[in-house]
Amino acid sequence: MLCDRIWRHARLATMAAGSAGLGAVEDGIVAARDGRIVFAGAADQVPVGLAARETIDCEGRWVTPGLIDCHTHLVHAGDRVREFEQRLAGMSYQAIAAAGGGIAATVNATRAASESQLLQVSLSYLDALLAEGVTTVEIKSGYGLALVHERKQLRVARELGRCRPVSVTTTFLGAHAVPPEFAGDQERYIDTVCTTMLPAIASERLADAVDAYCERIGFSLAQTRRVLEAARAWDLPVKLHAGQLSDMGAAQLAAQFSALSADHLEYADEAAIAAMARAGVAAVLLPGAYYFLRETQRPPIDLLRKHGIPVAVATDNNPGTSPLTSILLAMNMAATLFRLTVEECLVGVTRAAARALGQGASVGTLEAGKYCDMAIWDIAQPAELVYRIGFNPLHKRVWRGQ
Ligand code: DI6
Ligand code: FE
């Protein structure tokens, strides 16, 4: 069989589900054709007659699946530096929001930005992720909060996937906060989200999933349920910001809707986690927000393990609570702050992250049939990717076999 490219002399961390540990293969080969893996495994098990137009010698380097950042608010304008300094000076979130800070500040900046300005600033954050071997990234709207601006954010997210060799999956998060023109009238805003914004976004195929921020400072369980029902009516998968600051029952709701994922989960209880397990909902842990807000309540890792929940780790890149563009640092935080094991962290940015995006069949492991998305590292062992703080050992990034 003739394929396009073979990578040889590679130490593979295939991250395959059935394998022990990282699915490691000491002297491995990956062969790709038309952007997909045709063989990944031990050199002495290569199919007879396998040949390639080009062969690349990895010189014994470790190769993982391309990394996946499955929860970002990457497309946004402006920053929240002033708010950061105000908080350091002891100002409360409430006082900052009352003074026009918080999400509203980013909404104003994002609404004022043109599509090309938004693209340029977002590219800088995306390039930081690609530099660390990210090949798939999820990008949410949620700073427009009006159809024209939510559409603008999602169009920019789609354009990012055309500007760079990366797979972008988009999520409509119109239910992120109440915009100023609906101040004090959450119900009427949720009406607009469900009856005007979501149908338009869905029919224009600008979103691959729908999310909502179910928190006291966000939307109630009933309002969140309405958004998920509207998403279901338009055949869009759902995911939820659930249990970040309080237990509103959002993780249970995610299970009721067989959501792709429930994200944050610091305040999820065992009943909700058991319901998530029954419904096949993945967990997405976001240690950057926990770190930046100096939270104290960690997600219940022991319960997630007990119930066999796939656990992903992501940056939650956003200007207010997680201005983090390093997936490697997110792994270190997940280990250091949440006590995930090295293996759980590596699974969290590969196989489990793919699962959280509903893309477990096409990315997240080095297995035949999946996209040939890989990261080739200058490391002596994969654990270094979690252990080091602020060090990037990426040698090469491969997306769709290129
Ligand atoms: N969770 C958060 O922590 C952020 N959004 C969300 O859904 C906050 C967004 C911001 O402060 O800009
Ligand atoms: Fe978030």
Side-chain angles (χ1 to χ4, degrees):
M1 175 203 303
L2 179 63
C3 54
D4 299 320
R5 202 161 279 112
I6 284 179
W7 288 263
R8 54 199 291 271
H9 291 157
R11 303 171 79 181
L12 305 182
T14 64
M15 308 309 293
S19 316
L22 306 179
V25 176
E26 272 306 313
D27 178 13
I29 294 262
V30 176
R33 189 173 61 194
D34 301 330
R36 285 187 184 269
I37 296 171
V38 294
F39 176 82
D44 61 10
Q45 291 170 15
V46 169
V48 173
L50 189 72
R53 293 186 182 80
E54 181 188 8
T55 296
I56 294 160
D57 187 343
C58 293
E59 298 168 323
R61 291 186 176 87
W62 277 98
V63 180
T64 67
L67 305 189
I68 300 170
D69 193 353
C70 69
H71 180 133
T72 86
H73 307 251
L74 191 80
V75 172
H76 62 267
D79 62 59
R80 303 264 283 284
V81 172
R82 187 166 147 62
E83 176 178 325
F84 177 64
E85 293 175 296
Q86 286 170 334
R87 283 203 288 121
L88 287 173
M91 208 166 163
S92 76
Y93 249 119
Q94 289 71 5
I96 290 167
I103 292 182
T106 303
V107 171
N108 291 338
T110 302
R111 286 181 169 184
S114 68
E115 215 165 294
S116 60
Q117 287 168 330
L118 215 39
L119 182 71
Q120 285 317 309
V121 72
S122 304
L123 271 172
S124 60
Y125 307 135
L126 180 64
D127 286 341
L129 291 176
L130 301 190
E132 288 191 346
V134 169
T135 50
T136 298
V137 61
E138 185 259 10
I139 301 176
K140 306 174 191 290
S141 64
Y143 287 118
L145 307 185
L147 178 53
V148 63
H149 297 296
E150 288 289 306
R151 181 184 280 133
K152 177 175 68 177
Q153 275 193 280
L154 292 168
R155 284 166 51 86
V156 168
R158 287 271 193 252
E159 182 61 20
L160 288 169
R162 290 188 285 266
C163 284
R164 291 286 188 275
V166 63
S167 304
V168 170
T169 180
T170 60
T171 301
F172 172 62
L173 177 60
H176 190 199
V178 179
E181 60 272 21
F182 285 87
D185 196 345
Q186 285 199 334
E187 282 304 318
R188 201 161 58 82
Y189 178 62
I190 288 295
D191 289 342
T192 303
V193 167
C194 296
T195 59
T196 306
M197 296 163 78
L198 199 155
I201 298 286
S203 53
E204 294 163 27
R205 309 184 69 75
L206 281 172
D208 303 309
V210 175
D211 190 349
Y213 188 42
C214 187
E215 272 300 343
R216 276 195 295 270
I217 57 172
F219 295 92
S220 70
L221 197 64
Q223 290 163 346
T224 301
R225 182 189 301 279
R226 287 181 57 198
V227 175
L228 300 191
E229 282 165 350
R232 180 181 278 172
W234 285 87
D235 294 327
L236 283 172
V238 297
K239 44 182 60 242
L240 274 188
H241 283 70
Q244 177 183 8
L245 307 171
S246 64
D247 183 358
M248 307 264 292
Q252 282 277 13
L253 187 66
Q256 287 163 25
F257 278 79
S258 299
L260 293 173
S261 72
D263 301 29
H264 286 291
L265 294 179
E266 280 84 347
Y267 289 87
D269 64 9
E270 181 153 15
I273 289 168
M276 284 172 60
R278 288 192 297 272
V281 178
V284 179
L285 303 186
L286 303 166
Y290 175 93
Y291 165 86
F292 197 69
L293 297 177
R294 302 176 68 232
E295 291 298 334
T296 54
Q297 168 92 12
R298 296 188 312 207
I301 305 296
D302 55 332
L303 294 177
L304 294 169
R305 288 175 180 139
K306 175 182 171 187
H307 291 276
I309 303 272
V311 175
V313 173
T315 62
D316 192 13
N317 175 266
N318 78 76
T321 64
S322 188
L324 174 65
T325 49
S326 169
I327 193 75
L328 296 178
L329 181 50
M331 281 201 284
N332 178 274
M333 289 179 174
T336 304
L337 299 176
F338 290 172
R339 320 312 291 159
L340 260 63
T341 65
V342 161
E343 180 183 329
E344 287 170 332
C345 289
L346 290 167
V347 169
V349 299
T350 54
R351 188 172 80 233
R355 174 76 180 271
L357 297 178
Q359 297 182 26
S362 56
V363 291
T365 64
L366 299 179
E367 293 179 279
K370 296 202 174 176
Y371 284 122
C372 185
D373 294 351
M374 304 190 292
I376 305 173
W377 304 97
D378 282 320
I379 54 176
Q381 56 201 311
E384 287 175 47
L385 298 176
V386 183
Y387 154 76
R388 292 197 182 282
I389 303 174
F391 180 76
N392 179 12
L394 183 74
H395 172 70
K396 284 267 192 270
R397 191 184 74 101
V398 177
W399 180 72
R400 302 284 172 94
Q402 299 293 335

